[in-house]
Amino acid sequence: MPVEVRTASAFMAMYSVPAAAAQNLIDHTGLELLQYRPGHGLCGLVFVDYIDGDLGPYNEFGVTFMVRNHRRRRKSVLSDLRSLVNGDSGALIHQLPVDGEFTLAAGRGIWGFPKILADFEADHVSDVRRGKVSHEGRLIAELAVRQGLPTLVGGTDRSLMAYSHLQGVTRYTKWDMRSTGVRSRIGGASLRLGDHPIADELRSLDLPRRALLATTIPDLRMTFGDATPV
């Protein structure tokens, strides 16, 4: 420790989802969904291509929810918005299919990430980024993201509290990230769901629908340490 990812790329879409339905999916973790407006939370779908890192090269698809910090839970939308701006909120990694057996074992054994072995088709270089993920022959999701406008000059550094839950234990891990070339746009994503149980979970959140935000990250570096039980 820490584990380093030296080269990766990603694209993602962020969706507004009904808070009650999303909380129902994550209740078993003991965490509380962050509400960016009354009755609505944030769900992110992300494809990542890990090119060079300590866990080797692999593809990943994440279903994430923004949640309240387990140490400083507050019950108002205003305090939730403040925590988003201040970086005091967290991201629960709810589902995490990957296509590498080593990262599968490490992710589950070290950090408690709910990784499953899946099949991927992904394009991280075209103007329209595309990703398709299936598990045991059943489609989970297919996502296309159109590039937007540059969001920052140069790069940006950010730390994130990543939560996971596996075999009855909720953990958190600090991730430090540096991203360059980030582009974002309102909407800009197309989502198709399959017949896998993960797809059914996403349908319970009224997906597919128009994305709040679509983002592409051509250059992503990450460092993350050990996991700590909540």
Side-chain angles (χ1 to χ4, degrees):
M1 296 294 176
V3 168
E4 292 187 6
V5 175
R6 291 171 286 277
T7 308
S9 62
F11 61 90
M12 68 175 296
M14 186 68 74
Y15 294 91
S16 175
V17 294
Q23 185 64 51
N24 184 58
L25 290 180
I26 71 170
D27 244 0
H28 63 284
T29 67
L31 299 171
E32 297 177 345
L33 187 79
L34 180 147
Q35 294 189 37
Y36 77 101
R37 66 185 179 95
H40 292 81
L42 295 169
C43 174
L45 304 182
V46 57
F47 279 88
V48 186
D49 180 17
Y50 293 90
I51 300 167
D52 177 30
D54 292 343
L55 300 181
Y58 65 96
N59 285 282
E60 180 177 271
F61 172 71
V63 178
T64 69
F65 294 98
M66 296 305 297
V67 295
R68 292 169 177 152
N69 188 308
H70 71 283
R71 295 195 190 100
R72 294 180 287 279
R73 298 185 183 183
R74 300 175 178 88
K75 300 288 187 178
S76 73
V77 172
L78 183 59
S79 62
D80 281 353
L81 287 173
R82 285 199 191 105
S83 70
L84 273 176
V85 173
N86 297 335
D88 192 36
S89 54
L92 170 64
I93 315 301
H94 178 62
Q95 302 284 2
L96 201 60
V98 297
D99 67 355
E101 293 188 2
F102 180 69
T103 188
L104 172 75
R108 294 180 68 90
I110 299 173
W111 297 282
F113 288 123
K115 294 188 175 184
I116 60 173
L117 201 61
D119 297 309
F120 284 77
E121 296 176 20
D123 177 359
H124 284 261
V125 297
S126 297
D127 287 342
V128 178
R129 310 294 207 259
R130 298 183 185 276
K132 180 179 180 181
V133 57
S134 302
H135 176 243
E136 296 181 342
R138 302 171 70 180
L139 176 66
I140 296 174
E142 189 170 2
L143 180 68
V145 167
R146 298 188 297 278
Q147 290 197 85
L149 297 174
T151 56
L152 289 169
V153 176
T156 179
D157 295 310
R158 183 185 179 193
S159 292
L160 174 70
M161 188 82 79
Y163 290 94
S164 62
H165 182 89
L166 191 68
Q167 297 176 341
V169 180
T170 298
R171 302 171 175 87
Y172 65 92
T173 303
K174 183 185 177 185
W175 282 3
D176 295 319
M177 296 178 287
R178 180 168 180 81
S179 55
T180 56
V182 180
R183 290 175 174 263
S184 293
R185 59 180 294 164
I186 296 172
S190 175
L191 174 65
R192 183 170 76 92
L193 299 177
D195 60 352
H196 191 275
I198 295 176
D200 292 337
E201 282 192 343
L202 295 175
R203 285 193 188 89
S204 76
L205 303 174
D206 295 339
L207 297 180
R209 61 166 62 190
R210 186 171 187 266
L212 287 176
L213 191 70
T215 301
T216 58
I217 310 173
D219 183 11
L220 177 62
R221 283 162 280 175
M222 293 179 279
T223 302
F224 47 101
D226 209 346
T228 302
V230 170

